[in-house]
Every structure is written in C-alpha cells, then in structure tokens.
C-alpha cells in the first residue's frame, strides 16, 4: 500500500516569527488609527521581549492541536491513540509490535472486514435493507452454524414473506461461509403501558406523552428483559411531577420478549 503522508495544515503551522509579525502589524495599525506613532517592534525592543514569547507559545499550541487532530484518524495515529483505535476494531496490539505494523493490520481489518458474521452483524446488515424496521438475530436456532433473523416492517408489524425473501437475497453476499442463514417475519410482542401522570399546571399533555414514548422506545430497543420499575423511571419528563396507576401489559411484573419476537409499543398517558 502506498504510504499516506500526513497532510500539511498551514493555518495551524505558523512559526513564531509569522505570528509575531501579525501581532506587530496589528499594533502599528492600531497606533495609526489613534493618530499615534507606531511602536518599535524589532528584536531587542520592549514590545518584542513581551510579544515574541507569546508568539512562540501560540506556535507550539498550534502544533499540539494539529497533532491531536490527526490522531483521530487511523492512517496517522500512533502510540496510545493507535491502541485506542484498536480497541474500537477489537484488534489488540501484539507484544512489542511497532506502530507501523499494527497500523497496517488495523487498516487491513477496516478495508476487508465489515463484520465477522456475529449475531449483531446480521442484525445491522438486515436493518440497512430498505423496508426493514426491526431485526433480531438468533444464533444456533437449528445447529451450531445457523443464523435466524426475525424482521418487522417500517411500521413495526411482522414483515411479509416477500420482504423476508428480499432481505435474504440481499444478505447473500455478506453471509459467512457455512452459516445457514434464514430470514423470517418476526412475531410481534405487544408492550402496553398505561399511566396516570401528575403534571404542572402549564404542562402540555401531548408533549409529555410524546417524550415518554420516545424514552420507552429507546429503552426497548434490542432488549429482551423489560423491567417494570425501570419503565416507571421514564415517566419523569419535563412537566411531570409524579405518576400513579401504572401498568405494564395490564400488570405490575417484568416482561420477557421471546427471542424470535420484536417488541411493539402502545402508550396511554392520562391525567
């Protein structure tokens, strides 16, 4: 692979002389605007002794800022910054491995591996298919190398067989060798929340319900265990001072979403 040179960033690479000259120009311009004689700014003058160390510090800080900025990018990261990127990719540095060798391994991983075919990869790939709303992948549903993915449409309803077949076709190129991949319409697991809230006099009930729904939807995403008490904590949005009469699927117990199902939410908020 061709070597990627670190880009030059002229705005962040000023020398102390360049910075000091701009400072001197500003002092001269300010003096002229006031009708005064511009101060002497050459080396050895008081303004030089005061201003030049400041210019040196600004120049040093610019270089540090540039260094920190470039460390965010894999081709130019090194040291502990490169190790941090390795954590993101799930690829640790080998003992005594030099930066250049480790960096190349990470670049190879980024270029050649979108995922290693784990359950989470199949869920992500499936959600990227147009028309898919939710996806839950189950490993070993039939045998050790099988992956079953259960999907819903954009409305959160069980997908049609046609959509399931479309997804299966699109995922063929991503399917890992020996994986028996099947796409199924998901079973829908309804989650019904009913609650009576106590609000401030100026509160808008419609906005309160909207905020509560958003918080519960975020909580439910990818979760198989729904804890009754945790849902209750999500009612305290702006405008709510307390709540009562809260039920979860007409009860007050925790729920378990089956592995082949996707939770769909209904929320009723009253005062």
């Amino acid at each position: 692979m061709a070597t990627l040179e670190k880009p030059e960033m002229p705005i962040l690479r000023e020398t102390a002389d360049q910075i000091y000259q701009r400072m001197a120009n500003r002092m001269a311009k300010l003096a002229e605007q006031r009708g005064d004689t511009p101060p002497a700014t050459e080396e050895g003058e008081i303004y030089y002794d005061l201003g030049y160390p400041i210019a040196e510090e600004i120049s040093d800080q610019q270089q540090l800022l540039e260094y920190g900025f470039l460390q965010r990018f894999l081709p130019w990261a090194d040291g502990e910054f490169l190790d941090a990127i390795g954590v993101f990719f799930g690829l640790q540095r080998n003992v005594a491995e030099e930066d250049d060798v480790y960096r190349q391994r990470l670049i190879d991983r980024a270029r050649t591996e979108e995922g290693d075919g784990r359950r989470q990869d199949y869920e992500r790939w499936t959600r990227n298919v147009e028309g898919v709303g939710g996806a839950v992948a189950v490993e070993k549903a039939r045998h050790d190398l099988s992956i079953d993915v259960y999907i819903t449409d954009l409305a959160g309803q069980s997908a049609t067989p046609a959509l399931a077949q479309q997804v299966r076709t699109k995922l063929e190129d991503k399917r890992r060798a020996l994986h028996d991949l099947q796409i199924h319409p998901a079973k829908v697991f309804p989650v019904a929340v009913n609650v009576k809230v106590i609000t401030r006099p100026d509160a808008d009930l419609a906005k309160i319900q909207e905020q509560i729904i958003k918080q519960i939807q975020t909580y439910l995403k990818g979760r198989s265990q729904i804890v009754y008490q945790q849902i209750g904590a999500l009612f305290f949005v702006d405008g709510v001072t307390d709540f009562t009469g809260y039920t979860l699927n007409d009860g007050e117990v925790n729920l378990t979403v089956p592995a082949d199902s996707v939770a769909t939410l209904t929320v009723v908020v009253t005062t």
Side-chain angles (χ1 to χ4, degrees), residues 205-270:
L205 183 60
K207 291 183 178 180
I208 287 175
Q209 177 158 316
E210 180 181 353
Q211 293 178 66
I212 290 176
I213 290 174
K214 286 182 178 179
Q215 294 205 144
I216 298 177
Q217 286 175 333
T218 300
Y219 172 82
L220 293 179
K221 188 174 181 180
R223 185 179 295 272
S224 59
Q225 290 296 121
I226 303 174
V227 181
Y228 176 83
Q229 288 84 355
Q230 292 176 347
I231 291 286
L234 304 177
F235 299 142
F236 288 102
V237 299
D238 184 38
V240 175
T241 59
D242 204 352
F243 67 89
T244 185
Y246 155 48
T247 61
L248 180 61
N249 282 13
D250 297 323
E252 298 180 355
V253 296
N254 302 336
L255 303 177
T256 299
V257 181
D260 61 354
S261 303
V262 174
T264 59
L265 178 65
T266 302
V267 178
V268 176
V269 179
T270 60

Side-chain angles (χ1 to χ4, degrees), residues 159-174:
T160 64
L163 179 58
Q165 181 56 48
Q166 178 184 346
V167 172
R168 177 62 183 83
T169 300
K170 287 185 176 293
L171 262 60
E172 178 59 27
D173 290 341
K174 296 181 180 295

Side-chain angles (χ1 to χ4, degrees), residues 21-268:
Q21 186 59 57
R22 288 195 292 106
M23 295 169 63
N25 293 343
R26 287 176 181 272
M27 286 188 285
K29 184 177 180 180
L30 180 61
E32 290 174 359
Q33 291 175 345
R34 293 176 174 175
D36 298 332
T37 302
T41 56
E42 295 78 20
E43 185 174 354
E45 299 292 341
I46 185 171
Y47 280 108
Y48 183 93
D49 293 342
L50 291 173
Y52 198 83
I54 297 175
E56 288 181 308
E57 179 63 24
I58 294 174
S59 179
D60 289 344
Q61 292 300 319
Q62 286 181 348
Q63 294 178 53
L64 289 173
L65 179 60
E66 178 187 348
Y67 175 79
F69 175 81
L70 292 175
Q71 291 306 303
R72 299 172 57 189
F73 301 94
L74 175 55
W76 305 298
D78 49 44
E80 64 269 26
F81 298 95
L82 189 60
D83 291 332
I85 294 176
V87 171
F88 176 82
F89 282 105
L91 191 64
Q92 294 184 345
R93 184 195 296 265
N94 295 327
V95 176
E97 187 174 31
E98 297 293 334
D99 279 354
D100 289 343
V101 177
Y102 184 37
R103 185 185 301 108
Q104 187 59 55
R105 286 204 298 122
L106 290 172
I107 290 175
D108 291 341
R109 166 66 68 87
R111 287 182 168 179
T112 61
E113 294 189 26
E114 187 179 10
D116 59 9
R118 293 175 298 181
R119 178 178 60 82
Q120 296 89 338
D121 295 320
Y122 283 102
E123 290 179 352
R124 174 166 50 85
W125 294 332
T126 299
R127 292 192 189 101
N128 288 337
V129 177
E130 184 177 358
V132 175
V136 175
V138 180
E139 297 176 344
K140 303 180 182 178
R142 292 178 301 285
H143 53 77
D144 287 349
L145 295 176
S146 69
I147 299 289
D148 286 357
V149 185
Y150 299 88
I151 65 173
T152 63
D153 61 20
L154 295 176
Q157 300 302 310
S158 183
T160 64
L163 179 58
Q165 181 56 48
Q166 178 184 346
V167 172
R168 177 62 183 83
T169 300
K170 287 185 176 293
L171 262 60
E172 178 59 27
D173 290 341
K174 296 181 180 295
R175 180 174 64 89
R176 292 300 182 260
L178 303 180
H179 280 182
D180 178 17
L181 174 63
Q182 299 293 330
I183 309 296
H184 307 283
K187 297 176 182 178
V188 174
F189 182 82
V191 176
V193 175
N194 287 267
V195 63
K196 181 178 181 180
V197 295
I198 301 171
T199 66
R200 298 196 309 260
D202 61 338
D204 185 328
L205 183 60
K207 291 183 178 180
I208 287 175
Q209 177 158 316
E210 180 181 353
Q211 293 178 66
I212 290 176
I213 290 174
K214 286 182 178 179
Q215 294 205 144
I216 298 177
Q217 286 175 333
T218 300
Y219 172 82
L220 293 179
K221 188 174 181 180
R223 185 179 295 272
S224 59
Q225 290 296 121
I226 303 174
V227 181
Y228 176 83
Q229 288 84 355
Q230 292 176 347
I231 291 286
L234 304 177
F235 299 142
F236 288 102
V237 299
D238 184 38
V240 175
T241 59
D242 204 352
F243 67 89
T244 185
Y246 155 48
T247 61
L248 180 61
N249 282 13
D250 297 323
E252 298 180 355
V253 296
N254 302 336
L255 303 177
T256 299
V257 181
D260 61 354
S261 303
V262 174
T264 59
L265 178 65
T266 302
V267 178
V268 176

